[in-house]
């Protein structure tokens, strides 16, 4: 069964510093996708970045980059130059086939990031 | 602008009553999903639908029901059989097998 583990319930970072949010995953399927979402207090899930299991390079989207280490089954999110608006819950998720062939998203428990001035 | 609309944002119901949460999308996505989120936990899949008039149970379907009569709409009914219905419910849609999932802004259901 697929599983996502986020071991940091909360993280603190000062404005303009970089921060790494950890994510490890478990799947036996060779084809999968990894996602990071941001959830502000308003509740909506905002897509940040995606990494496919066959992608050769680490994904980057503006201030977000994904440190993909396939052998270690880790997909850590790096936020550079943190801003106050980055304070939110962050979820790592994996898309992989279920036993019915349906590609479902499995989420971790999230990390709450607080950015201080 | 294309997106997903969930209504209402807050919903209060008495214990034992059925309640229906609305989810409408204008993205022309074939697949739609319902997730439940409890404090300190990630999202868990309740039901999903890959095409009109077809839907499948997710990981925690007991006490819930859905319908998919139109491509744009995927309402979720929380029945009296659901033991702990108080939670935050998120609807999402996607093009099947793509990585573009779009989420609604959620409905917070409180049962008193």
């Amino acid at each position: 069964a697929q599983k996502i583990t986020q071991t940091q319930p909360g993280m603190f970072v000062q404005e303009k510093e970089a921060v790494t949010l950890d994510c490890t995953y478990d799947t036996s399927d060779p084809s999968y996708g990894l996602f990071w979402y941001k959830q502000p207090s308003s509740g909506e899930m905002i897509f940040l970045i995606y990494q496919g299991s066959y992608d050769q390079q680490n994904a980057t989207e503006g201030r977000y980059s994904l440190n993909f280490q396939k052998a270690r089954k880790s997909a850590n999110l790096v936020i550079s130059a943190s801003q106050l608006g980055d304070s939110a819950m962050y979820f790592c998720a994996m898309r992989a086939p279920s036993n019915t062939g349906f590609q479902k998203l499995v989420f971790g428990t999230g990390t709450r990031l607080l950015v201080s001035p | 602008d294309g997106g997903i609309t969930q209504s209402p944002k807050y919903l209060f119901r008495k214990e034992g009553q059925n309640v229906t949460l609305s989810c409408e999308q204008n993205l022309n996505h074939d697949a739609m999903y319902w997730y439940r989120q409890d404090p300190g936990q990630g999202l868990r899949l309740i039901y999903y639908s890959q095409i009109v008039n077809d839907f499948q149970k997710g990981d925690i379907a007991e006490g819930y029901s859905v319908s998919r009569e139109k491509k744009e709409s995927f309402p979720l009914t929380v029945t009296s059989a659901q033991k702990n219905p108080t939670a935050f419910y998120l609807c999402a849609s996607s093009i099947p097998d793509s990585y573009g999932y779009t989420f609604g802004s959620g409905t917070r259901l409180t049962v008193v």
Side-chain angles (χ1 to χ4, degrees), chain A residues 31-72:
Chain A
S31 176
Y32 53 88
L34 296 156
F35 301 74
W36 277 93
Y37 287 91
K38 173 184 178 181
Q39 187 180 44
S41 56
S42 52
E44 76 269 29
M45 298 288 280
I46 301 168
F47 168 76
L48 296 178
I49 198 166
Y50 171 82
Q51 180 86 41
S53 58
Y54 295 119
D55 293 344
Q56 295 296 313
Q57 294 190 324
N58 287 344
T60 61
E61 289 284 351
R63 295 186 298 111
Y64 304 108
S65 61
L66 200 151
N67 184 0
F68 181 46
Q69 297 188 45
K70 198 169 181 177
R72 294 185 177 185

Side-chain angles (χ1 to χ4, degrees), chain A residues 35 37 39 42-45 47 50 91 95 100 102-105 107-109, chain B residues 9 33 35 37 40-43 48 50 59 88 90 97-99 101 103-104:
Chain A
F35 301 74
Y37 287 91
Q39 187 180 44
S42 52
E44 76 269 29
M45 298 288 280
F47 168 76
Y50 171 82
F91 289 95
R95 187 191 67 197
T100 63
F102 166 66
Q103 299 262 351
K104 72 173 188 178
L105 275 183
F107 287 82
T109 52
Chain B
K9 192 168 180 65
Y33 316 83
Y35 289 91
Q37 186 178 18
Q41 296 192 33
L43 279 64
Y48 64 94
Q50 295 180 278
D59 299 317
F88 187 58
L90 280 161
D97 298 332
S98 79
Y99 69 84
Y101 292 82
F103 284 83

Side-chain angles (χ1 to χ4, degrees), chain B residues 15-18 61-65 77-85:
Chain B
E15 196 170 339
Q17 287 183 335
N18 292 357
E62 186 175 348
Y64 299 97
S65 66
T77 297
V78 185
T79 75
S80 57
Q82 169 48 235
K83 300 301 181 191
N84 295 297

Side-chain angles (χ1 to χ4, degrees), chain A residues 3 6 14 24 29 47 58 63 81 83 87 103 105 115 117:
Chain A
K3 187 177 180 182
Q6 294 181 255
Q14 273 203 311
T24 58
D29 201 288
F47 168 76
N58 287 344
R63 295 186 298 111
Q83 302 172 356
S87 294
Q103 299 262 351
L105 275 183
V115 181

